[in-house]
């Protein structure tokens, strides 16, 4: 009987039930998307490393720009800790004016590191040393099919042809991003660089014996004199991957807090909207003699049905939308990973919230009498005043602390962000009432507006809608703000690369040669690589990029915290490194402080010679003079950087270099921006993912708003009937309802836009928790403010137009009783 | 109806997210592009490649020719006969490649190579026209240059080049007669009086008739030497020797690529690019890779003695049969030359490989050896050649240590090596082994010291005079062979392949050789009369003169040179293998370059004195010399 009644309730208000189910499902999906975001980024980044090295061969010995370029296998095999060695020859070469990554392995061992899943052809077709395997994407990119060939022209102008024998899925070796990979026999590709099928190697991938850890094997091999001039490292740098994933997802994770608050609000508001109605229903049930147990049974079954339906739909939304986000990231999607615990947590959270907020009317009804439940007294408790004031004070304190106490930047940032949103939700009804009161009170106010204003001041459903809208607005505006900001921060500096040509495999002797190239402005040698810096007396360590050159100071847009003349002087001296202002701010590294730099496996102590400021690599860089580079680290500049004249393009200069020196030199010349082409594409994918996430959340908020508004609209049917009985026309009633939405939308919009500034400031402090500081965050925010405002406005406009969109007017009628 | 509007909108909105997710998911799995092999396109590409190749080969032979000339167009050519002959040989070449299993993309590579050669030829011709001094130079490359360029520039795998060479030689043995027959039939058909559809010009008629005669002669030769059981046996033994041939040629062609593309040098002397700034370890790694390759080949030779012997025997037989055959066509000429080279290489390579492999441990045991090698090569233009001898002495010491050879054994080994060279000289006088021989015995610094002369009762002056005479006896015939006949031979080859040599050139070459022979006292009636070129058709004259001169040199001068060399060799080795000499050399101080004013470096003076006695080390220079073999 109880269950029957519960089912009847669910079915009799089917649209309300569905709206609630959707709201629950959306909240579940939102929580899941936020929880899964970082791991999605992590998986995406790690795919690249795994594609390069696989997972079995955990140690990688590779050539060093300043050491040996070739490696023999025997020395590695001689170690008893080594289970197996897979050698390879890898280099970039031009095909159709584009670089491809040639990876040569021993005969029959092309798939030794990673899997190859043939789509066309089979591994048994690989018979000649010039048979190659490419991925489906590469084949499509170069418009190749089985039997077609790559022609690689050697520096001696000999054209070597390689036949495509297998086209494989974009998995395994081909699962990474970046330059297209061509998998070949080492003998085949050796010919390109030495004109002979002699096997030479520049990489060793080593599998440790069971019981030997990769890190231990790295230590053992690094001590072998045979490898002293090579780089010995773990194949996959999980630390670096984690750092990158953190960098790209930090802002989303923080905004995710706002989204999660929104998810809670989404479920809470839609379930609390009908509190009075439910109390009324409980009163009726009590009158006809239903016990509390029976009433609880009816409500709990009803909630469980709603919750379970929400969970079921939530699973669909969560997985489907997660797949959409991943597709935006990777471009292709064969399979995708769902982390079970994250989905389960999301589902449990959604279900529990449904049960908790759904039970609230029942619990409240049980506390009061039948009269209390039928007639809402609307009494105000002291908490009505204490909560907003206390919250406001707490918010102000945390906000100020976030700017003043350095170690507390991050934690205060995140706290103030949460508190600001909660404060907004708490204050929004008050603000709404205050703002519309003049309209409600003023005698000359036209009837529809007056009616709308009165509804805003008195109607709980309308106030709740304002609350939901405000939280949704700030969440979505923050989401779009970080989308635009991260895009600018992580790729904006690449604008500086636009007139630069980068030539690798060069020495100082090449500078005069390359200077003769037409269209060249400045030519200088540079070291361009990755290093580790440890600071605070060696207690903390961080990977960063090193630019070893003095001339680079004028090639990029640097400003100087330390006077320029001091910096320039120290760049000529030995023992100095220069850091960015962001590093100074985040890690408290000071000018003159001693830091340890690890370059090509050599760790040396140098002094911080000065503080620079630049958007380059979001401030994650070091600059070092050639003297320090050579004298302290024994490293030579192995690349040439060329700035081009304004009357030409970098590509023109690249073409000249490639054609002019093709026969004599094996320069790897490319426009610097092109060298980052795949990084940019990767970052754009990540940012597209944030954008897609923002878009999805926008739709979610819209759906959530629609659901709750329709529920509220349904609840207010009696109110409308009364007005119509009093002689109000349908047109006026509709106008009034529309105006009510407009009033809420406009006021919420203004307040939310103002709040977003404070939230953004809190967010910038909060990302310090992830070791990030973006110098250009505010300029970017201001620059993209219009996008944020437009998105907010669109959502408000949507909310305002809900009565029109859902044709509320059509449902205005007097029910027969 | 109106009631449902809100519901419909509601459903649409609710489902929008689901639809969005599904739409994106389906986009993820959109239909893939078909990338399977297009066999029809492949077949068309192969046919097109073969046609292009045929056309290109014809263009290489003459810029006025192409592969699709009609009969009327052919009989309008002044050299119609040669066109027919070349066409059938070109077709033979293309058909052989087509059926050899060479992949289509590699046929395209061969085409690209031929086209680049054509371009080169045109450019050279233009240069020759613009430069009066070079007018005499013929543009067409020699067959060996062609082969070397092919190895280094076509981008074919060594194994493919080896298979291709083997296929051509085998096919030549098998089908030469068919090709000659087809060409003869075509010529006869063109001259058929019954044909009214074509009008043969007089020049074309003469050319075709001449070609028929040549073709008949060649066919007759082939029928007499390569038919029946002989041919069957040869083909069978070729088949048996195939694995050995391919292993050998793969290695040789691969090294050919390494040496001739200049990559080896760029690795050693710090070349640019991917192999730039190489460290000592890198060069050692690189050399070690080469060692492994050599060792593999050596092991093959060691493990498959019977196969190698069979192959050697086959090539010996082909060489001896074709020795008197005048290969007028370039393809035939190249293929037969290849057989001769195989003979030479098969004799020399195992010995040299053994030598190199036994020297190799010097890199491990002599710490500064690689540094000195790098120093020597990088500063090659500034280094003294004597330093190379020091390096060789150090390597040779390692050889001695590894083999444990006594002085006598080393001497015997060296003499065996010389015997091998002798044998090749006897087999093919134009083999580049002459270079080694000349290097060996004609060093001016020796002043005839190794010649045995009767010293009894003679003054020092008289002994010196006698030795000088001996030296003359040796050097003049070799000069005649190398310079005189070498030049004449080249001219004759051009004459055979192009028939476009200038009369002045022929006169000059013939006179040079005749003068040399006359100077040496070889006077005959025939020699007296041949220096004047008769008017009219010079072909029979030049052929007979060439055969005459070649005969005299082969019969009289080469044996004389070998005889003289034989007398001095033992003495030479006696001196070289005196214990301590090598050690002394190996321990000599490195000569450094003096950038200041010219002055005699005392170290260098001492070293020069030692080097005079150590010409054996020049033998170790055979590696660069072998590069010359192909040139």
């Amino acid at each position: 009987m109880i269950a029957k009644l519960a089912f009847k309730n669910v079915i009799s208000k089917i649209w309300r039930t569905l709206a609630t189910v959707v709201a629950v499902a959306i909240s579940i999906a939102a929580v899941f998307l936020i929880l899964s975001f970082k791991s999605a980024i992590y998986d995406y980044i790690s795919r690249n490393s795994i594609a390069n090295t696989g997972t079995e061969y955990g140690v990688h010995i590779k050539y060093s720009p300043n050491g040996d370029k070739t490696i023999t296998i025997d020395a590695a095999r001689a170690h008893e800790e080594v289970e197996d060695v897979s050698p390879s020859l890898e280099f970039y070469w031009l095909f159709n004016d584009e670089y491809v990554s040639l990876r040569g392995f021993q005969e029959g061992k092309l798939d030794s590191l990673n899997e190859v899943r043939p789509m066309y052809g089979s591994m048994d077709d690989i018979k000649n040393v010039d048979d190659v395997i490419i991925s489906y994407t590469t084949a499509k990119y170069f418009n190749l099919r089985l039997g077609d060939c790559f022609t690689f022209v050697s520096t001696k102008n000999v054209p070597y042809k390689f036949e495509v024998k297998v086209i494989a899925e974009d998995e395994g070796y081909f699962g990474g991003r970046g330059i297209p990979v061509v998998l070949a026999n080492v003998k085949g590709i050796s010919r390109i660089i030495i004109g002979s099928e002699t096997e030479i190697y520049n990489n060793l991938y080593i599998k440790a014996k069971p019981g030997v850890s990769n890190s231990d094997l790295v230590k053992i091999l690094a001590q072998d004199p045979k490898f002293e001039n090579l780089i010995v490292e773990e194949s996959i740098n999980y630390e670096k991957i984690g750092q990158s994933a953190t960098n790209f997802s930090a802002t989303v994770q923080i905004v995710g807090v706002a989204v999660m608050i929104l998810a809670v609000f989404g479920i809470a508001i839609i379930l609390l909207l009908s509190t009075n109605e439910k109390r009324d229903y409980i009163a009726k049930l009590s009158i006809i003699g239903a016990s509390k147990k029976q009433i609880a049974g009816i409500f709990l079954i009803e909630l469980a049905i709603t919750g379970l339906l929400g969970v079921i739909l939530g699973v669909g939304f969560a997985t489907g939308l997660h797949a959409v986000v991943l597709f935006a990231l990777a471009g292709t999607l064969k399979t995708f990973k769902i982390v079970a615990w994250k989905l389960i947590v999301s589902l449990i959270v959604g279900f529990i919230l449904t049960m908790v907020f759904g039970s609230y009317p029942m619990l409240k009804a049980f506390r009061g009498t039948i009269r209390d439940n039928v007639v809402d007294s609307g009494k105000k408790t002291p908490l009505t005043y204490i909560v907003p004031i206390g919250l406001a004070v707490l918010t102000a304190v945390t906000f100020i602390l976030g700017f003043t106490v350095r170690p507390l930047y991050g934690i205060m940032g995140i706290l103030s962000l949460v508190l600001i949103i909660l404060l907004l939700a708490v204050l929004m009804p008050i603000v709404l009432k205050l703002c519309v009161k003049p309209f409600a009170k003023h005698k000359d106010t036209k009837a529809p507006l007056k009616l709308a204003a009165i509804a805003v001041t008195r109607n709980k459903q309308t106030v709740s809608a304002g609350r939901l809208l405000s939280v949704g607005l700030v969440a979505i505006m923050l989401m779009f703000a970080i989308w635009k900001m991260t895009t600018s921060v992580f790729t904006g500096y690449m604008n500086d690369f636009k007139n630069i040509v980068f030539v690798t495999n060069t020495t100082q002797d090449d500078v005069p040669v390359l200077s003769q190239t037409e269209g060249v402005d400045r030519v200088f040698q540079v070291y361009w690589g990755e290093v580790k810096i440890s600071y605070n007396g060696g207690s903390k360590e961080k990977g960063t990029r090193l630019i070893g050159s003095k001339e680079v100071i004028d090639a990029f847009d640097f400003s100087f915290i330390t006077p320029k003349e001091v910096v320039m002087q120290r760049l000529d001296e030995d023992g100095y490194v220069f850091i960015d202002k962001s590093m100074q701010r985040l890690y408290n590294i000071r000018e003159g402080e001693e830091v340890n730099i690890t370059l090509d496996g050599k760790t040396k102590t140098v002094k911080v010679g000065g503080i620079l400021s630049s958007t380059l690599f979001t401030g994650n860089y070091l600059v070092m003079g050639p003297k320090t580079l050579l004298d302290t680290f024994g490293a030579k500049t192995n690349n040439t950087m060329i700035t081009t004249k304004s009357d030409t393009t970098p590509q023109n200069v690249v073409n000249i270099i490639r054609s002019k020196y093709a026969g004599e030199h094996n320069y790897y010349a490319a426009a610097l921006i092109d060298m980052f082409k795949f990084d940019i594409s990767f970052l754009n994918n990540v940012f597209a993912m944030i954008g897609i996430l923002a878009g999805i959340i926008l739709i979610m908020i819209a759906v959530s708003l629609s659901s709750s508004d329709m529920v509220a609209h349904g609840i207010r049917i009696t109110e409308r009937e009364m007005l119509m009985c009093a002689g109000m026309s349908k047109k006026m009633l509709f106008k009034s309802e529309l105006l009510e939405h407009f009033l809420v939308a406009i006021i919420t919009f203004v307040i939310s836009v103002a709040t977003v500034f404070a939230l953004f400031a809190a967010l910038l402090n909060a990302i310090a928790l992830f070791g990030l500081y973006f110098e250009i965050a505010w300029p970017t925010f201001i620059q993209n403010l219009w996008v944020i405002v437009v998105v907010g406005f669109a959502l408000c406009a949507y909310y305002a137009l809900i009565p029109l969109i859902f044709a509320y007017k059509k449902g205005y009628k007097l029910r027969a009783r | 109806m109106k009631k449902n509007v809100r519901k419909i909108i509601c459903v649409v909105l609710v489902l929008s997210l689901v639809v969005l997710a599904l739409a994106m998911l389906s986009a993820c799995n959109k239909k893939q592009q078909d990338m399977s092999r297009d066999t029809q396109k492949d077949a068309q590409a192969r046919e097109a490649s073969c046609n292009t190749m045929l056309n290109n080969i014809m263009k290489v032979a003459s810029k006025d020719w192409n592969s699709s000339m009609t009969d009327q167009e052919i009989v309008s050519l002044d050299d119609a006969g040669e066109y027919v002959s070349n066409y059938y040989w070109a077709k033979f070449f293309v058909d052989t490649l087509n059926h050899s299993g060479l992949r289509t993309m590699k046929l395209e590579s061969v085409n690209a190579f031929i086209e680049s050669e054509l371009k080169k030829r045109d450019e050279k011709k233009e240069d020759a026209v613009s430069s009066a001094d070079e007018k005499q130079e013929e543009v067409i490359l020699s067959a060996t240059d062609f082969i070397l360029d092919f190895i280094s520039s076509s981008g074919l795998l060594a194994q493919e080049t080896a298979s291709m060479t083997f296929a051509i030689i085998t096919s030549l043995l098998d089908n030469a007669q068919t090709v000659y027959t087809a060409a003869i039939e075509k010529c006869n058909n063109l001259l058929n009086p019954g044909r009214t559809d074509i009008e043969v010009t007089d020049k074309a008629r003469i050319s075709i008739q001449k070609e028929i005669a040549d073709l008949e002669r060649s066919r007759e030769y082939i029928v007499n030497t390569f038919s029946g059981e002989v041919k069957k046996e040869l083909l069978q033994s070729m088949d048996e020797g195939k694995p050995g041939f391919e292993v050998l040629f793969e290695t040789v062609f691969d090294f050919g690529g390494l040496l001739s593309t200049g990559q080896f040098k760029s690795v050693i002397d710090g070349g640019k690019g991917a192999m730039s700034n190489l460290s000592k370890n890198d060069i050692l790694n690189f050399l070690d890779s080469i060692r492994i390759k050599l060792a593999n080949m050596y092991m093959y030779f060691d493990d498959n003695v019977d196969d190698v012997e069979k192959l050697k025997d086959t090539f010996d037989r082909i060489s001896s049969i074709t020795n008197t055959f005048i290969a007028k066509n370039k393809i035939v000429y190249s293929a037969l030359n290849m057989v001769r080279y195989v003979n030479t290489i098969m004799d020399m390579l195992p010995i040299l490989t053994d030598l190199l492999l036994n020297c190799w441990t010097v890199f491990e045991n002599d710490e500064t050896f690689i540094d000195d090698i790098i120093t020597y090569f990088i500063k090659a233009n500034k280094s003294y050649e004597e330093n190379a001898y020091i390096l060789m002495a150090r390597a040779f010491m390692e050889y001695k240590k590894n083999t444990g050879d006594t002085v006598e054994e080393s001497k015997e080994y060296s003499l065996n090596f010389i015997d091998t060279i002798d044998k090749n000289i006897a087999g093919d006088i134009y083999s580049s082994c002459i270079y080694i021989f000349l290097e060996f015995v004609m060093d001016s610094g020796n002043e005839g010291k190794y010649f045995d002369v009767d010293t009894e009762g003679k003054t020092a002056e008289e002994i010196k005079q006698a030795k000088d005479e001996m030296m003359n006896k040796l050097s003049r015939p070799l000069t005649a062979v190398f310079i005189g006949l070498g030049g004449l031979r080249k001219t004759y080859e051009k004459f055979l392949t192009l028939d476009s040599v200038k009369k002045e050139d022929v006169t000059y070459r013939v006179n040079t050789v005749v003068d040399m022979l006359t100077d040496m006292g070889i006077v005959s009636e025939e020699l007296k009369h041949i220096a004047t070129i008769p008017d009219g058709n010079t072909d029979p004259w030049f052929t007979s003169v060439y055969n005459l001169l070649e005969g005299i040199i082969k019969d009289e001068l080469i044996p004389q040179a070998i005889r003289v060399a034989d007398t001095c060799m033992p003495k030479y080795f006696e001196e070289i293998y005196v214990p301590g000499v090598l050690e002394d050399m190996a321990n000599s101080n490195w000569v450094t370059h003096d950038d200041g004013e010219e002055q005699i470096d005392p170290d260098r003076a001492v070293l020069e004195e030692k080097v005079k006695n150590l010409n054996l080390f020049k033998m170790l220079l055979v590696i660069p010399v072998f590069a010359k073999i192909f040139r």
Side-chain angles (χ1 to χ4, degrees), chain A residues 727-738:
Chain A
M728 189 175 250
S729 69
K730 282 185 183 180
K731 192 179 172 188
M732 193 175 280
L733 191 60
F734 181 69
K735 209 184 236 180
S736 157
E737 198 164 13
L738 207 57

mmCIF file of all heavy atoms in Angstrom, chain A residues 727-738:
data_model
loop_
_atom_site.group_PDB
_atom_site.id
_atom_site.type_symbol
_atom_site.label_atom_id
_atom_site.label_comp_id
_atom_site.label_asym_id
_atom_site.label_seq_id
_atom_site.Cartn_x
_atom_site.Cartn_y
_atom_site.Cartn_z
ATOM 1 N N GLY A 727 -9.492 38.045 -11.455
ATOM 2 C CA GLY A 727 -9.754 38.798 -12.685
ATOM 3 C C GLY A 727 -8.532 39.157 -13.495
ATOM 4 O O GLY A 727 -8.600 39.893 -14.480
ATOM 5 N N MET A 728 -7.406 38.628 -13.094
ATOM 6 C CA MET A 728 -6.184 38.953 -13.868
ATOM 7 C C MET A 728 -6.195 38.181 -15.190
ATOM 8 O O MET A 728 -6.486 36.977 -15.205
ATOM 9 C CB MET A 728 -4.943 38.589 -13.062
ATOM 10 C CG MET A 728 -3.677 39.092 -13.696
ATOM 11 S SD MET A 728 -2.284 38.764 -12.623
ATOM 12 C CE MET A 728 -1.898 40.412 -12.133
ATOM 13 N N SER A 729 -5.866 38.920 -16.221
ATOM 14 C CA SER A 729 -5.869 38.263 -17.536
ATOM 15 C C SER A 729 -4.631 37.375 -17.677
ATOM 16 O O SER A 729 -3.616 37.571 -16.998
ATOM 17 C CB SER A 729 -5.868 39.302 -18.638
ATOM 18 O OG SER A 729 -4.617 39.957 -18.652
ATOM 19 N N LYS A 730 -4.757 36.414 -18.587
ATOM 20 C CA LYS A 730 -3.615 35.519 -18.822
ATOM 21 C C LYS A 730 -2.396 36.294 -19.310
ATOM 22 O O LYS A 730 -1.260 36.017 -18.957
ATOM 23 C CB LYS A 730 -3.998 34.471 -19.881
ATOM 24 C CG LYS A 730 -4.853 33.354 -19.362
ATOM 25 C CD LYS A 730 -5.043 32.333 -20.461
ATOM 26 C CE LYS A 730 -5.955 31.214 -20.001
ATOM 27 N NZ LYS A 730 -6.167 30.213 -21.036
ATOM 28 N N LYS A 731 -2.677 37.297 -20.127
ATOM 29 C CA LYS A 731 -1.591 38.094 -20.704
ATOM 30 C C LYS A 731 -0.824 38.811 -19.602
ATOM 31 O O LYS A 731 0.419 38.793 -19.579
ATOM 32 C CB LYS A 731 -2.204 39.098 -21.685
ATOM 33 C CG LYS A 731 -1.198 39.796 -22.562
ATOM 34 C CD LYS A 731 -1.918 40.738 -23.512
ATOM 35 C CE LYS A 731 -0.913 41.589 -24.251
ATOM 36 N NZ LYS A 731 -1.565 42.629 -25.026
ATOM 37 N N MET A 732 -1.590 39.422 -18.705
ATOM 38 C CA MET A 732 -0.945 40.167 -17.618
ATOM 39 C C MET A 732 -0.190 39.203 -16.688
ATOM 40 O O MET A 732 0.895 39.501 -16.220
ATOM 41 C CB MET A 732 -1.981 40.965 -16.846
ATOM 42 C CG MET A 732 -1.351 41.998 -15.916
ATOM 43 S SD MET A 732 -2.566 43.012 -15.131
ATOM 44 C CE MET A 732 -2.942 44.177 -16.410
ATOM 45 N N LEU A 733 -0.803 38.068 -16.467
ATOM 46 C CA LEU A 733 -0.165 37.068 -15.602
ATOM 47 C C LEU A 733 1.175 36.613 -16.202
ATOM 48 O O LEU A 733 2.199 36.512 -15.505
ATOM 49 C CB LEU A 733 -1.104 35.866 -15.449
ATOM 50 C CG LEU A 733 -0.729 34.844 -14.376
ATOM 51 C CD1 LEU A 733 -0.678 35.471 -13.001
ATOM 52 C CD2 LEU A 733 -1.741 33.696 -14.383
ATOM 53 N N PHE A 734 1.115 36.391 -17.474
ATOM 54 C CA PHE A 734 2.351 35.966 -18.162
ATOM 55 C C PHE A 734 3.413 37.067 -18.128
ATOM 56 O O PHE A 734 4.593 36.824 -17.875
ATOM 57 C CB PHE A 734 2.017 35.583 -19.612
ATOM 58 C CG PHE A 734 3.221 35.125 -20.378
ATOM 59 C CD1 PHE A 734 3.848 33.914 -20.061
ATOM 60 C CD2 PHE A 734 3.756 35.909 -21.385
ATOM 61 C CE1 PHE A 734 4.964 33.500 -20.759
ATOM 62 C CE2 PHE A 734 4.887 35.494 -22.079
ATOM 63 C CZ PHE A 734 5.479 34.281 -21.770
ATOM 64 N N LYS A 735 2.939 38.292 -18.367
ATOM 65 C CA LYS A 735 3.858 39.445 -18.336
ATOM 66 C C LYS A 735 4.509 39.530 -16.960
ATOM 67 O O LYS A 735 5.711 39.778 -16.825
ATOM 68 C CB LYS A 735 3.053 40.701 -18.641
ATOM 69 C CG LYS A 735 3.851 41.793 -19.314
ATOM 70 C CD LYS A 735 2.978 43.015 -19.467
ATOM 71 C CE LYS A 735 2.880 43.496 -20.885
ATOM 72 N NZ LYS A 735 2.030 44.684 -21.007
ATOM 73 N N SER A 736 3.678 39.321 -15.963
ATOM 74 C CA SER A 736 4.185 39.405 -14.602
ATOM 75 C C SER A 736 5.231 38.315 -14.331
ATOM 76 O O SER A 736 6.286 38.564 -13.747
ATOM 77 C CB SER A 736 2.995 39.263 -13.650
ATOM 78 O OG SER A 736 3.441 38.828 -12.410
ATOM 79 N N GLU A 737 4.928 37.109 -14.797
ATOM 80 C CA GLU A 737 5.870 35.996 -14.575
ATOM 81 C C GLU A 737 7.195 36.240 -15.314
ATOM 82 O O GLU A 737 8.290 35.977 -14.806
ATOM 83 C CB GLU A 737 5.241 34.681 -15.044
ATOM 84 C CG GLU A 737 5.942 33.486 -14.450
ATOM 85 C CD GLU A 737 5.137 32.188 -14.575
ATOM 86 O OE1 GLU A 737 4.145 32.154 -15.333
ATOM 87 O OE2 GLU A 737 5.513 31.212 -13.916
ATOM 88 N N LEU A 738 7.045 36.772 -16.512
ATOM 89 C CA LEU A 738 8.243 37.092 -17.304
ATOM 90 C C LEU A 738 9.082 38.164 -16.619
ATOM 91 O O LEU A 738 10.316 38.061 -16.515
ATOM 92 C CB LEU A 738 7.783 37.568 -18.699
ATOM 93 C CG LEU A 738 8.724 37.368 -19.859
ATOM 94 C CD1 LEU A 738 9.098 35.893 -20.005
ATOM 95 C CD2 LEU A 738 8.101 37.862 -21.153
#
